[in-house]
Amino acid sequence: MIPEEEVEEKIRRIAARISEDYQGKVVHLVSVLKGSVFFTCELAKRITVPVTMDFMSVSSYGDQTESSGVVRIVKDLDVPLEGKDVLVVEDIIDTGRTLHYLMNILRDRGPASLRLAALLDKPDRRVVTVEADYTCFQVPDEFVVGYGLDCAQQYRNLPYIGVIESESK
Ligand code: IMP
Ligand code: MG
């Protein structure tokens, strides 16, 4: 769906905007495992203001295809967010349930600022309002993989964004 060069070019542009927006500050990247690790690394490498990073892992209660919006923290952050300029880095905003819940949890921890960067956005699927401050691509309502995104834990390592073609469709 999106070739590697296009993804990297877009990340470069987003990183430039972030570098400008956070002039004189330290960006504290909060990467949501595991899907956003590739995006986080590529983004972090291209940000020119000081960067610190932390990781968390959440699991959303629900069935295979639909998240419930109730999020369990599987691995929490190592460092408190209080006073930090936090930029949450996510792979994709789908229904928005996971991020809506997660952003509220993080906001309660008292960061100086809290923003969201998403590699992909599927606006057609949105159930709960979530606005990313930085989005690389909007994608149609199709199941995408690669660049960190998985299907049953596979395909995360694809260097581009691909679509799973289902035979039943
Ligand atoms: P939400 O709570 O529905 O927004 O769920 C978002 C999460 O669902 C993402 O962080 C992904 O882990 C997963 N997800 C949603 N759509 C896709 C997709 O097309 N491919 C891979 N994972 C997806
Ligand atoms: Mg995810």
Side-chain angles (χ1 to χ4, degrees), residues 58-71 90 92-101 125 127-128:
V58 299
S59 135
S60 175
Y61 292 107
D63 62 33
Q64 301 290 62
T65 52
E66 196 85 343
S67 62
S68 65
V70 179
V71 172
E90 250 292 30
I92 187 165
I93 314 174
D94 188 35
T95 64
R97 287 187 173 116
T98 307
L99 269 171
H100 179 79
Y101 195 88
R125 292 263 304 164
V127 174
V128 182

Side-chain angles (χ1 to χ4, degrees), residues 24-134:
K25 294 178 179 167
V26 177
V27 196
H28 188 64
L29 299 180
V30 166
S31 178
V32 186
L33 299 169
K34 308 170 183 142
S36 70
V37 287
F38 292 73
F39 177 39
T40 303
C41 294
E42 296 306 311
L43 188 66
K45 286 195 287 183
R46 296 174 172 95
I47 294 175
T48 55
V49 296
V51 169
T52 54
M53 297 164 83
D54 206 347
F55 297 85
M56 71 188 298
S57 181
V58 299
S59 135
S60 175
Y61 292 107
D63 62 33
Q64 301 290 62
T65 52
E66 196 85 343
S67 62
S68 65
V70 179
V71 172
R72 184 169 59 98
I73 297 176
V74 177
K75 182 224 173 289
D76 207 341
L77 298 168
D78 291 337
V79 180
L81 295 184
E82 211 176 328
K84 293 195 164 63
D85 290 298
V86 174
L87 180 58
V88 176
V89 184
E90 250 292 30
D91 49 0
I92 187 165
I93 314 174
D94 188 35
T95 64
R97 287 187 173 116
T98 307
L99 269 171
H100 179 79
Y101 195 88
L102 186 61
M103 294 299 277
N104 283 337
I105 291 174
L106 299 180
R107 197 172 291 114
D108 285 347
R109 296 185 182 185
S113 66
L114 181 67
R115 286 185 176 180
L116 173 63
L119 177 63
L120 304 175
D121 183 9
K122 268 193 220 173
D124 297 346
R125 292 263 304 164
R126 200 74 92 254
V127 174
V128 182
T129 307
V130 173
E131 297 286 349
D133 300 278
Y134 308 96

